[in-house]
Amino acid sequence: MKSNYFINLILITVLAGLYWFINDELTSTTATPPLTNITNEAIHHITISQMNRADIVLKKLKQQWQLITPITARANQNRIKLLLSILTIQPYRQQTIIAGQNLSQFGINKDSTNLVLNDHHFIFGDIEPIEQRRYVQHNNDLYLLEDTISPLLNTSASSFIDNRLIKAQQHITQLTIPHYQQQSLLKQTTSLQLNNGQWQSDSKQSADKLVEIIDNWQQAAALQVIQLDALSSRLQPSPFHVIVQLKEQNESVKLTLHLSKTHFFIINEQTELAYQFPKASYQTLLLPASH
């Protein structure tokens, strides 16, 4: 009887100790300070250096991020926010680097991927095999971080291009689009104009349908954005175009349309970018043929 009593007492003590350890670990993790005290607003220049690839450079111009090299384009603001999240990420472990210490065992060497925010350097190493977190060197310390940033650094420059056709701050005031019929584009077009706050057109479409079309163009976001020269050999010249007039600029924008067996492409030849959409998207951005 006494034997069972002592066994139960030991089990209770072990469980109480385990409970304390878990809660103490959670508390210490929660209390861990962020990796830096730098704010997102302080960063205006980003460089990503990868082995065997040209550097990717992004700059903040008039509060908007732009991709500078190797492509010039409007940057995807959400991806920029993800990059900058490293500033406030909470490390799981931290170790001071001794002068002359060889960090190759952590996957950190001259070929490692580098992220530079202004003049703040972050060098990415291997994944730690037990906790599956990433070794990252910053200043004179080695950190173990949740692996949320590294996958983005190992993508191509085109993945940082804003996939929206129209900037969030811009507004369409006039739109000329072709019609479609039986999964084919037609040369027949319809113009939509904003007059005194109301959308009007030379077609018999309802006012609700016109508003729907404009909203679809305002919110259109491509699956991916591709440099035009990478697609030129696959696409034949197209006679189908869209003319977009924006409130914020004087000149209209001419876009070229390609409808393939699998995708719907909207091409801006001025920026040399092709926006790839699912094939069915043409039915939400264009009008059916009028009879």
Side-chain angles (χ1 to χ4, degrees), residues 7-278:
I7 290 173
N8 289 337
L9 184 62
I10 291 170
L11 287 173
I12 291 171
T13 304
V14 169
L15 289 173
L18 183 59
Y19 176 82
W20 174 87
F21 176 79
I22 292 172
N23 280 274
D24 182 68
E25 185 181 53
L26 289 173
T27 302
S28 61
T29 301
T30 303
T32 301
L35 187 62
T36 76
N37 59 2
I38 306 165
T39 64
N40 288 8
E41 292 72 23
I43 304 301
H44 52 78
H45 190 280
I46 299 174
T47 301
I48 300 170
S49 299
Q50 308 159 299
M51 182 177 63
N52 299 326
R53 284 187 180 179
D55 285 357
I56 299 172
V57 179
L58 303 112
K59 286 186 179 181
K60 185 162 61 175
L61 304 171
K62 297 180 180 179
Q63 300 306 309
Q64 292 292 318
W65 282 97
Q66 300 286 329
L67 183 59
I68 304 301
T69 60
I71 310 168
T72 302
R74 192 171 70 240
N76 187 310
Q77 307 301 312
N78 290 329
R79 299 211 166 195
I80 298 298
K81 288 179 182 178
L82 181 56
L83 287 178
L84 296 179
S85 69
I86 194 172
L87 297 171
T88 54
I89 197 171
Q90 288 186 325
Y92 286 87
R93 293 184 188 176
Q94 178 181 357
Q95 176 184 331
T96 301
I97 300 171
I98 302 170
Q101 181 179 354
N102 186 354
L103 300 179
S104 59
Q105 60 179 310
F106 305 108
I108 294 177
N109 51 56
K110 62 181 181 63
D111 294 326
S112 296
T113 297
N114 282 255
L115 172 64
V116 184
L117 308 178
N118 288 356
D119 56 355
H120 308 287
H121 291 248
F122 303 86
I123 306 173
F124 289 74
D126 290 337
I127 289 284
E128 193 275 332
I130 298 176
E131 298 182 0
Q132 294 295 301
R133 296 187 175 107
R134 180 77 60 179
Y135 288 112
V136 177
Q137 179 186 352
H138 175 56
N139 295 335
N140 295 319
D141 293 290
L142 184 66
Y143 296 89
L144 201 57
L145 307 178
E146 199 71 44
D147 192 32
T148 56
I149 311 297
S150 181
L152 185 57
L153 302 179
N154 292 310
T155 58
S156 64
S158 61
S159 67
F160 289 94
I161 300 175
D162 187 1
N163 64 335
R164 289 188 54 159
L165 276 175
I166 310 295
K167 287 170 58 175
Q169 299 84 358
Q170 293 180 324
H171 302 85
I172 300 172
T173 58
Q174 186 170 340
L175 182 69
T176 301
I177 53 177
H179 290 244
Y180 67 88
Q181 186 177 49
Q182 298 179 351
Q183 299 191 30
S184 297
L185 303 184
L186 304 177
K187 291 184 179 181
Q188 177 189 359
T189 63
T190 288
S191 293
L192 294 72
Q193 296 100 11
L194 184 62
N195 293 321
N196 298 320
Q198 300 292 323
W199 283 100
Q200 300 174 354
S201 79
D202 51 7
S203 71
K204 296 181 180 180
Q205 299 293 330
S206 67
D208 287 344
K209 181 62 176 179
L210 300 182
V211 171
E212 179 187 338
I213 290 290
I214 294 298
D215 286 345
N216 290 342
W217 277 91
Q218 285 280 175
Q219 303 299 326
L223 294 173
Q224 64 174 331
V225 185
I226 308 168
Q227 288 182 273
L228 186 54
D229 58 5
L231 275 178
S232 57
S233 61
R234 294 165 47 189
L235 299 178
Q236 299 297 320
S238 171
F240 307 110
H241 304 282
V242 168
I243 307 297
V244 184
Q245 181 63 58
L246 300 170
K247 179 181 179 181
E248 293 75 15
Q249 61 188 54
N250 295 325
E251 293 185 5
S252 59
V253 179
K254 184 178 181 180
L255 304 172
T256 303
L257 306 183
H258 287 267
L259 184 61
S260 72
K261 293 181 179 180
T262 56
H263 295 100
F264 179 49
F265 291 95
I266 300 178
I267 294 173
N268 188 328
E269 295 183 0
Q270 184 177 359
T271 60
E272 299 183 343
L273 296 175
Y275 295 80
Q276 178 180 313
F277 291 84

